[in-house]
Amino acid sequence: MKNLIKVERAKKDITQAGLAEKIKVSRQTINAIEKGKFTPSTLLALKMARFFECKVEDIFSLEEDD
């Protein structure tokens, strides 16, 4: 799964740790999602979308091999 979390974080000028604190996960979780090593739950994806004030589809997209 491809994601634009790093881009969205830059727009809001927030660190991985800052985002993690806002949505109540660890910084390591945010890092793993950004690197594509972890696929977030639906609930976590929705929390991120709410924080970034956008749709889940604006942050996450499926790649051909997903």
Side-chain angles (χ1 to χ4, degrees):
M1 182 179 292
K2 189 174 169 187
N3 72 74
L4 298 174
I5 297 169
K6 190 172 186 175
V7 172
E8 292 299 323
R9 281 193 310 100
K11 287 180 189 176
K12 289 218 178 235
D13 193 30
I14 190 167
T15 63
Q16 286 182 346
L19 175 59
E21 184 178 320
K22 293 282 187 185
I23 60 174
K24 300 186 183 349
V25 296
S26 70
R27 186 204 56 80
Q28 291 86 350
T29 298
I30 300 300
N31 186 46
I33 294 170
E34 282 187 10
K35 291 184 175 187
K37 295 180 179 181
F38 177 73
T39 301
S41 67
T42 304
L43 180 61
L44 183 51
L46 287 167
K47 285 181 179 181
M48 288 183 167
R50 181 185 293 164
F51 176 79
F52 290 124
E53 300 173 333
C54 64
K55 297 178 187 175
V56 172
E57 305 92 271
D58 294 337
I59 305 171
F60 298 99
S61 60
L62 292 176
E63 294 181 303
E64 284 186 32
D65 56 347
D66 285 340

